[in-house]
Amino acid sequence: MTALSLHSFSHFSSLLFSPTPSWNLSFALKNGVCFRKGKFLVFLSTHSNPKILKSNKKSRFGQRITPYDTDDEEEDEDEEFGDNNDGMAGDDWLMNDDFAQPHEYFVNGKKIKSHNGSGNQRPEEQRKGSKALKSRKVLIASEHGTNGLKRKSVEDFYHTSNKTKEAGSFGVDEGKKVVAKTFKENRYQRLSDEIDLDEKWFPLLDYLSTFGLKDSHFIQMYERHMPSLQINVCSAQERLDYLLSVGVKQRDVRRILLRQPQILEYTVENNLKSHVAFLMGLGIPNSRIGQIIARAPSLFSYSVENSLKPTVRYLIEEVGINEHDLGKVVQLSPQILVQRIDISWNTRYMFLSKELGAPRDSVVKMVKKHPQLLHYSIDDGLLPRINFLRSIGMRNSDILKILTSLTQVLSLSLEDNLKPKYLYLINELNNEVHSLTKYPMYLSLSLDQRIRPRHRFLVSLKKAPKGPFPLGSLVPTDECFCQQWAGTSLDKYLAFRQRLLLKEFAKKYEK
């Protein structure tokens, strides 16, 4: 007589592995590495101050403002999400968006109203009160007769039938199905302890897991907009496949779903295609559509006719942005399409006009170069940086000239960026503060990667002047710098810079 036994699968936590990025010392020093007695902590700093964005409001959607303290011509705009971070920290300017109105869409044959907020988010008390999964049906062994097992009311949640099945002779295929279900129940056990999980959601959860979503992410989606987890897996796949087809990267899908889980409800024909066509109509190239969607997925919740197009008209007619420049402005800051553009423009224009005597044309130039300006808090972002420039001896006219030329200065951290560069300018480069009006680009360059290495290299070659160090030598590329200023090979300079970085690294380690 053959005995058949079933062993329950223990729960395996989903682990997310990613290949280790190429790490080098210059990257570590650029982003800040601290070592303490054999243990090390790596701090990735964007050199920007989170208080730049308004801290007294909470927004659901948007994108952090990327820093400009870099030697690269183009910053990498991709951000990784941590398990406990839904990436919402930097979106405070989107809270009371009265300018752009929500819109009604047809979702799975039903009319729904899109929202800027969390959708059908349940209160914490309700979530905790219904956290347990409904009692699952168990497998029991037959006590008489056959060698098989009877299945007592095991629901096949991958199919629509809810009829019970009885296995008089327990075949191999059916045994695999039972084992697979037991494994899935164990797999989502932690999730079912946190939220009121429905077995019908399992196929969708399995599919979304292929994009790197884990239990903690599903909880965020549930709390943000629970109906998004009730979508049929085929419909969800159709919508995400479309987004991938227009340039959204696989690794960005998780970020999009955490910010805007409602996107799973938006149909391709009635919503997604019309919004993509709208972006293309602004002059945004096809190659950038996916990046725009990843950075501002909430735009799909706004009506093209009633919200997005009026915002565009306001930017052209009221702000004064040229229609041909509009596509570039949106690429720099896609969130500009979904914010209260009328209020944000008027308040910042009036502030800069009153504080610095800035004419309208100068403020328009600032917005065109750095539209993130319209997101920054006046009290915590703009004013402290203007006051710092005043404190080092700049007049309002000098500050206005710098901000018009390099508006990104308003995004840089005071303590970690602007102040250290100013001290190096005065103490090491023997320059006066007024030299910044001629070379405002100095403030956007990396102190560790560009300013200090080039200065020390020319000093080592005895080619640095005794007086003020020429800031013009910091602007060109490494190759041009070696040819025009150092008169030596690029390899020699790069080797020197690497040794200098090692030396600076050793100093930090000793501390």
Side-chain angles (χ1 to χ4, degrees), residues 68-248:
Y68 287 83
D69 180 27
T70 177
D71 291 332
D72 300 329
E73 293 182 358
E74 181 175 354
E75 284 284 352
D76 183 6
E77 296 168 344
D78 299 323
E79 299 174 0
E80 285 297 323
F81 270 54
D83 292 348
N84 299 319
N85 180 14
D86 64 354
M88 307 300 165
D91 319 343
D92 302 330
W93 42 267
L94 277 176
M95 180 60 177
N96 299 317
D97 195 341
D98 297 329
F99 184 77
Q101 298 296 327
H103 186 56
E104 290 183 345
Y105 291 107
F106 288 93
V107 178
N108 294 333
K110 298 180 180 180
K111 179 188 273 188
I112 67 167
K113 193 171 185 178
S114 62
H115 299 278
N116 302 343
S118 58
N120 297 337
Q121 179 176 341
R122 298 187 177 186
E124 183 69 15
E125 297 84 355
Q126 182 177 353
R127 184 174 69 84
K128 291 185 178 180
S130 61
K131 70 176 184 176
L133 180 63
K134 296 178 180 179
S135 299
R136 294 189 176 93
K137 308 303 180 180
V138 296
L139 293 174
I140 59 174
S142 174
E143 296 180 354
H144 306 286
T146 66
N147 299 332
L149 296 177
K150 290 184 179 180
R151 184 190 305 185
K152 184 179 180 181
S153 301
V154 179
E155 296 177 358
D156 187 359
F157 48 82
Y158 273 100
H159 302 279
T160 57
S161 174
N162 291 323
K163 296 181 180 180
T164 59
K165 298 180 181 180
E166 182 174 314
S169 58
F170 201 76
V172 176
D173 293 339
E174 196 141 6
K176 289 182 179 179
K177 292 180 180 179
V178 175
V179 171
K181 175 174 181 177
T182 305
F183 176 77
K184 289 183 180 297
E185 290 177 343
N186 289 335
R187 175 182 178 185
Y188 295 117
Q189 183 60 49
R190 177 195 167 199
L191 186 60
S192 67
D193 291 340
E194 295 291 334
I195 65 176
D196 190 11
L197 186 64
D198 192 326
E199 291 178 347
K200 295 178 181 179
W201 302 352
F202 286 0
L204 178 63
L205 300 184
D206 288 342
Y207 170 65
L208 297 182
S209 296
T210 63
F211 294 99
L213 277 85
K214 298 184 286 188
D215 286 359
S216 59
H217 300 132
F218 294 136
I219 292 172
Q220 292 179 43
M221 292 178 63
Y222 179 92
E223 294 178 340
R224 192 168 180 79
H225 189 68
M226 184 271 289
S228 64
L229 296 178
Q230 299 176 327
I231 300 300
N232 178 276
V233 64
C234 295
S235 299
Q237 184 173 358
E238 176 192 14
R239 290 150 194 174
L240 293 184
D241 283 348
Y242 175 77
L243 294 180
L244 294 172
S245 71
V246 297
V248 172

Side-chain angles (χ1 to χ4, degrees), residues 55 107 133 146 171 191 262 319 350 367 388 411 491 499 502:
S55 59
V107 178
L133 180 63
T146 66
L191 186 60
Q262 297 95 322
V319 177
M350 292 175 62
V367 173
F388 167 73
S411 73
D491 291 340
R499 289 193 300 270
L502 286 170

Side-chain angles (χ1 to χ4, degrees), residues 20 71 136 195 212 304-305 313 315 320 354 393 402 417 428 472:
T20 303
D71 291 332
R136 294 189 176 93
I195 65 176
V304 172
E305 297 297 329
R313 285 196 297 270
L315 289 170
K354 180 179 178 180
I402 288 178
N417 200 303
E428 301 293 335

Side-chain angles (χ1 to χ4, degrees), residues 351-359 366 383 386-387 389-391 393-404 437:
F351 168 77
L352 292 171
S353 178
K354 180 179 178 180
E355 196 72 19
L356 299 176
M366 294 182 196
L383 188 57
I386 290 175
N387 286 338
L389 295 176
R390 285 171 175 161
S391 70
M394 286 192 177
R395 298 170 298 179
N396 286 348
S397 59
D398 297 329
I399 298 173
L400 178 60
K401 185 176 180 179
I402 288 178
L403 295 184
T404 304
T437 59

Side-chain angles (χ1 to χ4, degrees), residues 478-495:
D478 288 341
E479 188 174 2
C480 292
F481 164 74
C482 292
Q483 294 176 354
Q484 299 175 7
W485 296 90
T488 186
S489 66
L490 177 62
D491 291 340
K492 186 176 181 179
Y493 167 67
L494 295 179

